[in-house]
Amino acid sequence: MKNIQKAQSDLVNDTCNDCGSFVDVGAVIDEHDTILELTLAGENASTLANELAEKAKNRFEEVGSVVTTHGDELILTLTFSFSAEKMIFQLENSL
């Protein structure tokens, strides 16, 4: 543990004794990372894309969704208002 602390940048704030985290969350989360791109394949890809887009829209206001085709695959692009919304959606849906 001491080696980790010695090797880390002085910009990392690891003073949180309660959470046990040695990473500054702001260093990991990019506030502009609001686009989630999912590649889906198979006969139910279209249905799954529509279901995921609907889940996102029901969970968060102002989520944009676009489905494009690339060969045999569908690409679902979800655009969230905030990076936290994207992360929450990924965690809730095991993505």
Side-chain angles (χ1 to χ4, degrees):
M1 189 63 79
K2 290 181 182 180
N3 290 335
I4 294 172
Q5 290 174 329
K6 287 179 185 178
Q8 72 188 9
S9 167
D10 291 333
L11 300 174
V12 175
N13 180 1
D14 62 354
T15 59
C16 178
N17 295 327
D18 296 328
C19 64
S21 174
F22 288 93
V23 177
D24 182 8
V25 174
V28 177
I29 300 171
D30 179 4
E31 67 180 291
H32 303 291
D33 184 16
T34 58
I35 297 174
L36 175 61
E37 191 172 275
L38 301 169
T39 302
L40 307 166
E43 59 186 50
N44 65 342
S46 180
T47 303
L48 183 57
N50 290 332
E51 288 174 359
L52 286 170
E54 197 61 33
K55 274 186 182 181
K57 290 175 183 177
N58 288 336
R59 179 66 170 94
F60 301 103
E61 297 178 24
E62 301 183 31
V63 174
S65 67
V66 175
V67 177
T68 56
T69 304
H70 188 266
D72 293 339
E73 299 175 330
L74 289 180
I75 300 170
L76 171 62
T77 304
L78 297 172
T79 305
F80 295 88
S81 297
F82 304 98
S83 58
E85 291 178 346
K86 174 188 167 191
M87 291 175 54
I88 292 167
F89 185 76
Q90 288 176 290
L91 290 169
E92 289 178 342
N93 293 281
S94 302
L95 300 174

